[in-house]
Amino acid sequence: MKLQGRKIYQGRAEGEALVTSMGISFFGGVDPETGIVVEKGHQLEGQSISGKILVFPTGKGSTVGSYTLYRLKRNGLAPLAIVNAECETITAVGCIISEIPCVDKIPVEQVKTGAFITIDGESGAVEVFDS
Amino acid sequence: MLHGQHGQATQKAMEILTALGTIYGAERMLPVISVQIAGVSYANLGEAGLEFLAEMADGGGKARVLTTLNPAGMDVENWQALGVSQEFAVNQQRVLNAFARMNVITTCSCTPYLVGNTPHFGEHIAWAESSAVCYANSVLGARTNREGGPSALAAALTGRTPAYGYHLDENRQPTVTVVVEGCPVETNDFGALGKAIGEKLTKEGKKRVPYLTGIEQASLEQLKSFCASIATYGGAALFHMAGITPEASRMIPPDETIVITQADLDVATQAMTDATSDEVDFVSLGCPHLSIKEIARLAELLAGKKVTKEFWITTARPVKQMADMMGYTQIIEASGAKFAADTCCVVAPIQGRFKALATDSAKACYYAYAKNKFKTVIKSFDEVVAEALK
């Protein structure tokens, strides 16, 4: 399945999708030392976002969350890429300063966890290969 | 700037602004004349934020326009007396050094408009700090969106911001009229008013711009209290107040109306009061940072008296220096109250140190509860001082 989105930050990546229908707050919601989602009651609570193509509708929470993404990247624990329905400032800025490819305007509900995805941040193209 | 001719840091900054411009549908970049950066306290930034700032400084980033900072996590000179750890102080100083290397003026204050960063009517600026954003847009008539730490820094290093949101005339129009029937008098009343209105601002997922009527007069101190509260409880970046704010006379009050009665103000005050007077072990004034006029009043109230509780007075260092010059500092410190310049109760690492806060600030009540799990009491400025003396 080919999906066409919008460039937020350049770069190519391929890997396994980790999908949630909930918003993500990186500050307070993801542990920058482990890459594990720690927000209570979150669909992804207890799971690691490291090395995944992280697919979620939109970001939320404190603007300091941009720095959490940066910290994850420095620790080698960042997601390979981010795919959003509607990217907002926190995630966009986080991706830019951490150099994580990012595309939005993608119908994220069409992607399932475990699917293999390729993303081209420059053109905004996302391809999903169902396993 | 986008292609790296002006160095790595400027390129990264321009990438941030271009992406934001794309997200928000901006057609062009606007020059800004002033920036206020948030994300200064090491408690909020952490090692990650500090690394990013150091990298931007290493990459040759320099502020191209007047840029000031939000409160830090400590009083830069007097941190030991306020119980801040050596480790935190060292890290906080590293943050400030990174900003200073980028030619950012390191006055750490939420009231930049009181210390020389004072844009005038119609000027485009890029400010973080929600209360100052609201003050600049509404009271000064300058134009800014609610920036985050990195986007404000990006604006500083480029002197640009994408043209969207509150920079554009069409988004500055009021969308709801607020008739104030209640009678706010003191700063805490204006805080209660900000909470009462703020909680009604979002409708069908949209943030409305309020046009207030019924306020006869409002001082700088009352407006700064109101701005902090309506930004905290309603996410407001802009309001108009008939007869008081500069754009109000150009605007037509919308038909859609909210009425705020004295009972609404009382409910808001009650909601910020869950501690009894006996429980109060922490008293604080200066959210937003105190003006010199407020410090003069404080000196008058504390002269020759002794406080019985931990009492912090938060203000900008240049304002404290005026207080030093006038002898107010000496009078206030003789009472046992402590100045905490450069910092505030929202960003200082004080969780677990106190149980219940007395303040005149609605914003301070919100963060005392949400961030530090303190109980709160909101009272007038003079009553808060009386609480500290009791």
Side-chain angles (χ1 to χ4, degrees):
Chain A
M1 176 174 53
K2 288 186 177 175
L3 301 167
Q4 183 57 45
R6 179 174 71 167
K7 169 190 175 178
I8 299 293
Y9 191 72
Q10 68 203 14
R12 289 168 185 271
E14 53 178 55
E16 191 186 320
L18 179 64
V19 187
T20 172
S21 62
M22 294 171 82
I24 291 183
S25 168
F26 290 100
F27 182 67
V30 179
D31 183 346
E33 302 305 320
T34 62
I36 289 170
V37 176
V38 292
E39 183 181 330
K40 284 239 175 310
H42 199 282
Q43 282 167 0
L44 300 182
E45 187 181 349
Q47 297 192 53
S48 169
I49 63 170
S50 306
K52 302 283 169 48
I53 310 269
L54 186 59
V55 182
F56 59 102
T58 192
K60 60 174 185 177
S62 165
T63 56
V64 181
S66 305
Y67 294 132
T68 306
L69 270 174
Y70 183 81
R71 185 68 192 267
L72 284 164
K73 180 77 175 192
R74 281 299 189 89
N75 288 338
L77 295 170
L80 293 175
I82 286 178
V83 175
N84 281 167
E86 215 39 77
C87 193
E88 44 54 69
T89 310
I90 305 163
T91 306
V93 170
C95 287
I96 294 163
I97 64 180
S98 321
E99 302 185 341
I100 298 169
C102 180
V103 168
D104 81 336
K105 303 280 182 198
I106 294 290
V108 295
E109 66 285 354
Q110 293 187 19
V111 188
K112 300 280 176 282
T113 290
F116 185 79
I117 298 194
T118 66
I119 152 172
D120 180 350
E122 189 59 39
S123 70
V126 172
E127 195 162 358
V128 183
F129 303 90
D130 285 313
S131 49
Chain B
M1 292 190 219
L2 200 50
H3 302 293
Q5 282 100 326
H6 295 272
Q8 244 175 12
T10 312
Q11 183 179 18
K12 186 63 60 188
M14 207 61 197
E15 281 176 3
I16 290 172
L17 299 178
T18 306
L20 295 181
T22 304
I23 293 171
Y24 294 108
E27 289 172 356
R28 61 200 169 100
M29 290 288 164
L30 288 168
V32 294
I33 58 102
S34 146
V35 171
Q36 165 81 0
I37 296 178
V40 178
S41 173
Y42 182 77
N44 291 343
L45 278 173
E47 204 52 32
L50 171 54
E51 276 174 27
F52 173 69
L53 294 172
E55 193 173 276
M56 294 297 266
D58 292 342
K62 297 281 181 217
R64 288 168 183 257
V65 295
L66 175 63
T67 302
T68 48
L69 289 182
N70 239 28
M74 63 180 197
D75 183 307
V76 173
E77 293 178 2
N78 197 31
W79 52 271
Q80 264 167 326
L82 296 162
V84 171
S85 75
Q86 171 92 30
E87 187 194 359
F88 184 89
V90 167
N91 285 324
Q92 183 63 69
Q93 198 56 56
R94 286 164 67 209
V95 171
L96 297 180
N97 291 347
F99 280 120
R101 281 161 62 205
M102 292 188 274
N103 290 349
V104 171
I105 310 284
T106 53
T107 48
C108 302
S109 178
C110 52
T111 56
Y113 48 90
L114 292 182
V115 292
N117 191 352
T118 317
H120 60 70
F121 189 82
E123 287 188 315
H124 295 283
I125 62 176
W127 280 20
E129 168 46 35
S130 63
S131 74
V133 163
C134 191
Y135 192 93
N137 267 327
S138 313
V139 181
L140 304 178
R143 296 182 172 214
T144 181
N145 288 314
R146 278 164 63 106
E147 301 294 344
S151 67
L153 177 63
L157 301 188
T158 59
R160 302 280 188 282
T161 198
Y164 72 96
Y166 295 109
H167 290 285
L168 308 178
D169 284 341
E170 61 261 34
N171 300 319
R172 299 180 67 85
Q173 300 298 318
T175 48
V176 62
T177 299
V178 177
V179 178
V180 181
E181 289 182 352
C183 194
V185 182
E186 302 285 342
T187 46
N188 59 310
D189 301 328
F190 276 83
L193 179 65
K195 181 177 193 290
I197 299 173
E199 289 172 345
K200 294 179 177 165
L201 271 191
T202 302
K203 190 182 175 190
E204 287 151 12
K206 286 201 75 172
K207 190 84 63 201
R208 296 181 289 183
V209 176
Y211 181 100
L212 279 73
T213 65
I215 305 283
E216 297 285 316
Q217 55 181 14
S219 66
L220 183 156
E221 289 75 14
Q222 289 162 337
L223 288 169
K224 94 176 146 68
S225 175
F226 177 72
C227 286
S229 180
I230 196 169
T232 297
Y233 292 94
L238 170 67
F239 64 87
H240 303 289
M241 201 180 264
I244 292 172
T245 64
E247 276 164 286
S249 63
R250 300 176 167 189
M251 303 295 183
I252 300 160
D255 293 336
E256 196 178 324
T257 300
I258 296 172
V259 176
I260 300 290
T261 62
Q262 187 58 43
D264 293 323
L265 300 186
D266 295 342
V267 166
T269 299
Q270 277 307 313
M272 293 183 281
T273 305
D274 64 350
T276 61
S277 185
D278 293 341
E279 288 175 301
V280 170
D281 58 353
F282 185 39
V283 179
S284 182
L285 290 169
C287 174
H289 276 169
L290 290 189
S291 68
I292 190 64
K293 188 175 151 192
E294 288 173 308
I295 293 176
R297 175 66 184 152
L298 192 54
E300 204 178 324
L301 292 170
L302 288 176
K305 302 196 173 119
K306 289 280 175 207
V307 301
T308 60
K309 302 180 176 89
E310 185 82 2
F311 184 4
W312 285 19
I313 296 129
T314 56
T315 191
R317 183 156 303 278
V319 174
K320 171 157 183 296
Q321 284 162 347
M322 281 194 269
D324 295 349
M325 192 177 72
M326 292 303 295
Y328 301 149
T329 304
Q330 210 181 357
I331 294 169
I332 291 167
E333 288 182 339
S335 79
K338 295 172 183 168
F339 271 92
D342 319 305
T343 187
C344 79
C345 296
V346 173
V347 300
I350 51 173
Q351 193 169 2
R353 286 182 60 188
F354 307 106
K355 288 192 183 67
L357 168 74
T359 176
D360 72 334
S361 162
K363 176 177 180 172
C365 286
Y366 177 87
Y367 284 99
Y369 172 78
K371 194 161 171 270
N372 294 322
K373 312 287 175 226
F374 299 162
K375 288 184 170 185
T376 57
V377 184
I378 187 166
K379 292 187 166 181
S380 74
F381 189 95
D382 288 13
E383 287 167 347
V384 169
V385 177
E387 196 66 53
L389 293 168
K390 202 151 71 179

